[in-house]
Amino acid sequence: MSARTISATVEMSVPAAEAFRYLCDPRNRPEWQSSLLSVEVPADEEPHLGQTWRERTAVGVRPHMETTVLTPFRVWAERGHWRGVSATLELHFTERPGGCRVRATGEVAGRGLWSLPAGAAGLMASAAIAADLRKAGRILEASGGA
């Protein structure tokens, strides 16, 4: 198995609680995550530990996802898998004057024939996540919060 580490940090001009509520809800993901076309999760299901959903990406990948950590306004994490590729993502929220800092960490890994595509995805993931988090911050700023 090969794995690539993911890391990105973004400053947002909204409180950590607002950023947390918005980012941890899978229903919001297609709005701010550039690679997503849709998510399959009940429309009235609130985010919770153990929540599962399925994503449909622009490149045809349809991973199964699960919330693995949900510590309100501080940490949220997920894991996903599709065929021979698995990924984890953890978001850490820290209050700062005028808003919050969101730090993303994680890993993309692949087994067997999936090692090469997972490695390629992992190479681009940190920059993509940073761009997506900046977009989420702009959406939150424009809407006045989640």
Side-chain angles (χ1 to χ4, degrees), residues 70-118:
L70 186 75
T71 306
F73 319 135
R74 292 182 42 220
V75 182
W76 175 85
E78 68 181 12
R79 74 173 157 231
H81 61 88
W82 180 77
R83 300 191 180 178
V85 178
S86 62
T88 61
L89 179 67
E90 196 165 287
L91 300 179
H92 299 263
F93 299 80
T94 306
E95 285 293 339
R96 65 170 187 77
C100 70
R101 175 176 294 122
V102 180
R103 182 173 52 89
T105 59
E107 181 178 272
V108 178
R111 293 186 321 269
L113 296 173
W114 295 99
S115 294
L116 187 59

Side-chain angles (χ1 to χ4, degrees), residues 29-52:
R29 301 282 287 268
E31 185 175 43
W32 61 268
Q33 189 174 338
S34 60
S35 64
L36 282 186
L37 298 176
S38 65
V39 296
E40 295 170 16
V41 63
D44 61 347
E45 184 175 281
E46 293 299 317
H48 61 276
L49 187 62
Q51 181 178 28
T52 61

Side-chain angles (χ1 to χ4, degrees), residues 19-26 47 51 53 67 70 76 91 93:
F20 181 92
R21 283 187 196 100
Y22 181 73
L23 292 170
C24 79
D25 191 336
Q51 181 178 28
W53 68 97
T67 298
L70 186 75
W76 175 85
L91 300 179
F93 299 80

Side-chain angles (χ1 to χ4, degrees), residues 8 10 12 23 32 91 102 104 128-137:
V10 172
M12 294 186 181
L23 292 170
W32 61 268
L91 300 179
V102 180
I129 289 168
D132 287 343
L133 290 174
R134 284 191 298 272
K135 181 178 180 182

